Amino acid sequence: MTDLAQGLRLRDDFPGVGDWHYLDSAATAQKPTAVIDAIARAYGPDYATVHRGVYERSANMTLAYEAARRKVAGFIGAASDSEIVYVRGATEGINLVAQCWAGTQLKAGDHILLSTLEHHSNIVPWQIVAEKLGAQIDVVPLTQDGRIDLDAMRAMITPQHRMVALAHVSNVLGSVLDCRRAADIAHMVGAKILIDGCQAVPRLAVDVQALDCDFYVFSAHKLYGPTGIGVLWGRKELLDSMPPYQGGGSMIDKVTFEKTTYAPAP
């Protein structure tokens, strides 16, 4: 099959593309027919409650739901599917870590380290937490070729920096971070590091264990999947140390009016 024929066949898998050139995948990716059909099946003939029913269809939906979690874990090299937290998108994943880890572990005078090229979603959540706690945000500059300057990061990081949050791939410049080196620099002073992987997971092989980061977030809609869902990966011991982000039915072990106990991560 020629490259042209292969390209045309792939184009046919994306009904939203049609006869025009779609160049906005960094913002959101078109969905292939396989994904659209799977969503239609899940909302149609297969639909039932997840984790709340004992009848066959509910059990099958629950198995499919958790099978997807295992696939996500394998896709990014997670040690366990219990490290995969479903969220509404990468933005919620960052907010969850900002509120439930940084918001409980940082104190006045601590520092958070970001970079000049971060998306607003990897700036504003940290600003909210820093203002609440009296922490300070420091910003790593870029190199001449538009990359996060890790030499500058190494020079400016101190033990006062408790949290580092950086983009794996820039949504504006396309520059790629050396995540492992960034993680090594963060861990050198005892800081935790979150990586925004929204632009990386559709285009690069990602292994969170090899990257040695502490948290990794991405959104499905940039990865040819549905809108309204994303993934937060976190080290199991960190997830277990974090208080609940929101209260509700799925995150409980036992509820009484006197006391509620919570289910383990995720």
Side-chain angles (χ1 to χ4, degrees):
M1 183 180 292
T2 66
D3 290 344
L4 176 59
Q6 176 78 1
L8 291 173
R9 190 185 67 78
L10 290 173
R11 177 192 286 267
D12 289 343
D13 281 342
F14 291 83
V17 174
D19 59 355
W20 59 294
H21 299 285
Y22 184 78
L23 303 176
D24 204 20
S25 293
T28 193
Q30 293 290 327
K31 318 307 174 194
T33 301
V35 170
I36 296 169
D37 290 347
I39 294 170
R41 253 192 339 271
Y43 274 99
D46 293 350
Y47 185 71
T49 188
V50 172
H51 287 160
R52 286 183 171 85
V54 296
Y55 54 98
E56 183 178 10
R57 185 181 289 187
S58 174
N60 288 339
M61 279 292 283
T62 299
L63 288 172
Y65 182 88
E66 292 302 335
R69 194 191 304 273
R70 288 192 295 276
K71 281 195 172 184
V72 171
F75 179 62
I76 62 169
S80 167
D81 59 358
S82 63
E83 296 178 329
I84 302 297
V85 181
Y86 289 142
V87 285
R88 286 172 288 187
T91 298
E92 184 176 46
I94 295 169
N95 275 276
L96 192 159
V97 176
Q99 294 295 325
C100 299
W101 192 87
T104 60
Q105 299 296 318
L106 272 60
K107 63 184 184 303
D110 285 339
H111 288 234
I112 299 167
L113 195 60
L114 309 177
S115 84
T116 302
L117 59 61
E118 298 311 310
H119 189 280
H120 296 163
S121 295
N122 203 27
I123 299 174
V124 178
W126 306 110
Q127 289 177 328
I128 292 171
V129 168
E131 183 175 354
K132 179 180 177 181
L133 298 177
Q136 179 175 319
I137 290 176
D138 299 318
V139 182
V140 178
L142 303 186
T143 60
Q144 288 292 326
D145 60 352
R147 300 175 185 274
I148 298 172
D149 191 337
L150 295 183
D151 289 336
M153 176 182 170
R154 173 65 180 83
M156 66 192 295
I157 200 167
T158 72
Q160 287 181 291
H161 289 97
R162 302 287 310 285
M163 188 76 215
V164 177
L166 302 173
H168 194 164
V169 175
S170 168
N171 68 304
V172 176
L173 303 175
S175 49
V176 181
L177 174 71
D178 182 344
C179 288
R180 182 54 190 256
R181 186 182 175 208
D184 289 345
I185 293 170
H187 294 154
M188 179 183 66
V189 297
K192 298 294 185 281
I193 182 167
L194 175 144
I195 299 296
D196 173 1
C198 280
Q199 302 297 336
V201 288
R203 299 165 180 90
L204 304 175
V206 172
D207 183 335
V208 292
Q209 294 187 82
L211 297 179
D212 201 31
C213 52
D214 300 293
F215 301 100
Y216 197 96
V217 298
F218 60 95
S219 295
H221 75 98
K222 298 179 189 292
L223 190 61
Y224 314 106
T227 58
I229 188 168
V231 169
L232 162 65
W233 170 83
R235 296 183 185 276
K236 186 67 165 62
E237 64 272 17
L238 295 178
L239 296 179
D240 287 341
S241 72
M242 292 158 59
Y245 179 52
Q246 296 176 328
S250 295
M251 41 72 72
I252 54 92
D253 171 44
K254 183 179 180 182
V255 175
T256 69
F257 282 106
E258 289 72 35
K259 181 176 177 61
T260 294
T261 55
Y262 303 117

